[in-house]
Amino acid sequence: MTDKMMRVPSDGAKGFRDLRGPELELRSELTRKIMKTYAGYGFEALETPAVEPTEALGGFLPDTDRPNGGAFSFETDEADLTLRYDLTAPLARFVAGQRDDLTKPWRRSSAGPVWRNEKSSPGRYREFWQCDADLVGAPSIGADAEMIAMASEALKDASVGDFTIKLSNRKLLDGLLAGLGIQDEELQRNICRSIDKLDRLGVDGVADLLGAGRRDASGAFTAGLELTDTQIKSVVDFTTARDIDALASAVGSTELGADGLAQIDECLMLARAADAPVLLDPSIVRGLSYYSGTVFEIDLLGETFDESGAPRRIGSIGGGGRYDSLIRRFTGRDLPCVGFSIGVTRLAQALSLRGAETSGPQRPILICVLDVDGMARAQEMARELRAQGMPAQVWYGASRNIGRQMKYADKIEASLAVIEGARERDAGEVVIKYLDLGREISERAADREAWLSQEQQVTVNREDLGIEIDAFLAK
């Protein structure tokens, strides 16, 4: 009796992706350009572990109906651990651990993956990359404005196209809620989380969440916050104000609201002076509850379509704000901080759908192998070309058939092929085949004879191989 092998499913975990090729190259290129801009402003790179003690991260995620509050947590013999869900909470833990050893203000930058146990959907993943920048120990609104200006400059340097930065201040909403007599902190956080869904659910959907509750298209019901009709109207009116006067009227006369109005007015002025495309939008509250002042979100403008041609909603590609009390959990005292994050995964996907191209690595040169004696010589040629900065790979397939090697060269989009058979080896020569020209000829049936008359390959002295290829690629 023969045991049957049980085959393990090859599907990945839901909400996670394998990445290769152009989109991975695009993410890497965006990360490099964004981090270069941060460095130009004097930000020091910091890397923190992917796993943090659960108690160090705290419960700040907006998806409270998900397991572990929207995070991936697990137990070990030593401690409860959680995959980091952003790069800010680990920063707070790091800064608290340094005590007074950091010279403040301290400028920190970071790039890497984060994980969120959220409902996955097209374009929304449970693992994604961020590029963060934070100014620690800087209470000035000028610092807030510079962070907005730097975010704008980073995206311009990365050539992402048009975008807008929507700006608000959490003190405005806090002042409004205080005026409405809403003092419970958990209720305040849930109101922020409801407003944060305005883009996705619209005004009516948010009003339902603030009131009796909302039933979605699938029939699933989300319990509401049971605010009064007057309170719901005040919150909704606040989210639609688009100038300082209308905002002042919506916020009312609380001291906290007045402070928020003064701060957002100054921040708008300084950010616009730096040519950042910023506009006032009080509906921006940021779902994470640790924000305490300035908050902003970055939206990519223009339409994006998926592979089938259907419109794809991208939403925010980044955002941030001021969080002066986050470190209090570790030290017992506040420390003024402001920072932001650019969602590189979401940005790369949007640009990829729009047909963005990367400078990427050079296309490879294939060194063909026609017989056993040619292997060592092919490897030697590849080493020479790589030493000159050219990407070269040797054919290691089982077949020595040149036709099969040319088919492989087409599949990897090689720019050139180098061929050395016994005759070329005896003569001290090699053949360089111009593969791009051959592809162009095959696509031009109308004037095929004219194109066929062009030289598709050249025979050169073996010692001149690098010189000839370098001259060809320089054209």
Side-chain angles (χ1 to χ4, degrees):
M1 184 174 180
T2 303
D3 291 336
K4 292 184 177 180
M5 180 182 294
M6 295 295 293
R7 295 191 177 182
V8 178
S10 60
D11 295 339
K14 188 175 182 180
F16 297 83
R17 296 187 300 162
D18 299 311
L19 284 178
R20 60 177 289 193
E23 189 173 342
L24 186 57
E25 292 167 11
L26 181 56
R27 189 190 74 187
S28 298
E29 187 169 306
L30 288 169
T31 300
R32 178 182 58 80
K33 290 179 178 178
I34 290 168
M35 294 296 283
K36 182 179 179 181
T37 303
Y38 295 172
Y41 277 71
F43 282 72
E44 176 188 349
L46 171 70
E47 183 176 298
T48 57
V51 174
E52 292 278 343
T54 300
E55 61 181 356
L57 289 177
F60 297 108
L61 277 173
D63 242 342
T64 53
D65 59 331
R66 299 291 296 171
N68 298 315
F72 287 101
S73 299
F74 51 95
E75 296 179 2
T76 70
D77 292 339
E78 298 177 355
D80 292 343
L81 301 175
T82 296
L83 284 172
R84 65 186 184 204
Y85 52 73
D86 69 3
L87 298 175
T88 307
L91 169 68
R93 188 263 309 154
F94 173 81
V95 170
Q98 296 296 305
R99 300 293 177 179
D100 297 322
D101 292 340
L102 288 176
T103 300
K104 302 179 185 68
W106 180 54
R107 296 166 180 254
R108 165 268 201 179
S109 64
S110 189
V114 298
W115 295 267
R116 296 189 183 178
N117 190 4
E118 299 177 333
K119 295 177 181 177
S120 60
S121 60
R124 189 179 182 90
Y125 305 105
R126 292 172 172 170
E127 178 184 49
F128 49 94
W129 269 62
Q130 295 181 330
C131 284
D132 279 30
D134 296 83
L135 245 173
V136 177
S140 169
I141 292 298
D144 300 25
E146 177 169 297
M147 297 300 278
I148 293 169
M150 185 173 75
S152 174
E153 186 174 328
L155 291 172
K156 290 175 182 177
D157 290 346
S159 303
V160 305
D162 294 334
F163 59 91
T164 189
I165 302 176
K166 299 177 181 179
L167 176 68
S168 188
N169 192 299
R170 283 288 282 265
K171 292 182 178 180
L172 298 169
L173 180 60
D174 292 344
L176 170 68
L177 297 181
L180 293 174
I182 300 174
Q183 304 293 338
D184 182 79
E185 291 186 1
E186 182 61 25
L187 179 56
Q188 291 177 352
R189 283 194 289 269
N190 286 331
I191 290 171
C192 287
R193 288 165 178 158
S194 297
I195 295 173
D196 201 39
K197 299 174 182 177
L198 186 65
D199 256 2
R200 183 161 53 91
L201 302 181
V203 171
D204 291 342
V206 170
D208 289 342
L209 290 178
L210 296 174
R214 176 180 179 272
R215 192 174 301 279
D216 64 21
S218 70
F221 181 76
T222 302
L225 301 179
E226 302 292 347
L227 301 187
T228 68
D229 290 344
T230 299
Q231 290 172 330
I232 293 171
K233 184 179 185 306
S234 295
V235 172
V236 169
D237 287 347
F238 166 81
T239 65
T240 59
R242 289 297 180 269
D243 61 63
I244 292 295
D245 291 339
L247 189 55
S249 176
V251 169
S253 57
T254 64
E255 182 178 344
L256 193 58
D259 191 23
L261 284 168
Q263 289 186 1
I264 198 169
D265 197 25
E266 181 182 358
C267 195
L268 279 167
M269 182 269 294
L270 292 172
R272 285 169 176 163
D275 201 29
V278 65
L279 56 86
L280 175 65
D281 188 343
S283 70
I284 302 303
V285 295
R286 302 291 291 165
L288 297 176
S289 59
Y290 51 63
Y291 289 108
S292 58
T294 298
V295 285
F296 63 93
E297 285 192 0
I298 309 165
D299 282 354
L300 194 65
L301 299 180
E303 292 184 308
T304 302
F305 301 90
D306 64 18
E307 294 84 350
S308 68
R312 167 71 65 82
R313 181 184 176 277
I314 297 300
S316 171
I317 58 168
R322 178 163 288 279
Y323 53 96
D324 292 346
S325 60
L326 181 59
I327 293 174
R328 184 196 304 166
R329 299 173 54 250
F330 300 96
T331 64
R333 62 181 189 272
D334 288 351
L335 178 64
C337 300
V338 59
F340 69 90
S341 173
I342 293 176
V344 182
T345 295
R346 181 172 291 182
L347 179 58
Q349 187 188 34
L351 297 180
S352 180
L353 290 172
R354 293 180 178 185
E357 295 182 357
T358 68
S359 56
Q362 289 176 267
R363 289 158 57 215
I365 299 166
L366 179 65
I367 315 296
C368 298
V369 179
L370 303 186
D371 51 42
V372 175
D373 294 337
M375 179 60 72
R377 295 177 62 83
Q379 291 178 333
E380 181 183 1
M381 285 186 272
R383 287 194 295 270
E384 289 178 12
L385 294 177
R386 292 184 200 120
Q388 292 180 240
M390 304 176 201
Q393 58 177 273
V394 175
W395 167 257
Y396 290 121
S399 173
R400 304 295 190 209
N401 180 276
I402 188 62
R404 183 163 295 183
Q405 296 183 51
M406 289 300 99
K407 287 180 179 179
Y408 174 77
D410 279 338
K411 288 182 178 179
I412 65 171
E413 296 185 345
S415 58
L416 301 166
V418 177
I419 303 168
E420 184 193 63
R423 188 195 65 78
E424 287 84 14
R425 189 160 53 244
D426 292 342
E429 298 173 336
V430 291
V431 173
I432 302 173
K433 192 171 182 65
Y434 303 138
L435 299 178
D436 283 342
L437 181 56
R439 295 184 187 109
E440 196 168 356
I441 289 171
S442 67
E443 294 171 1
R444 291 176 174 267
D447 52 358
R448 186 172 178 80
E449 292 302 321
W451 282 97
L452 283 173
S453 66
Q454 299 187 61
E455 192 172 38
Q456 299 177 54
Q457 63 185 45
V458 62
T459 301
V460 301
N461 291 330
R462 165 64 184 84
E463 61 266 23
D464 295 333
L465 174 63
I467 297 173
E468 292 290 338
I469 291 181
D470 186 53
F472 174 80
L473 294 176
K475 293 179 181 178

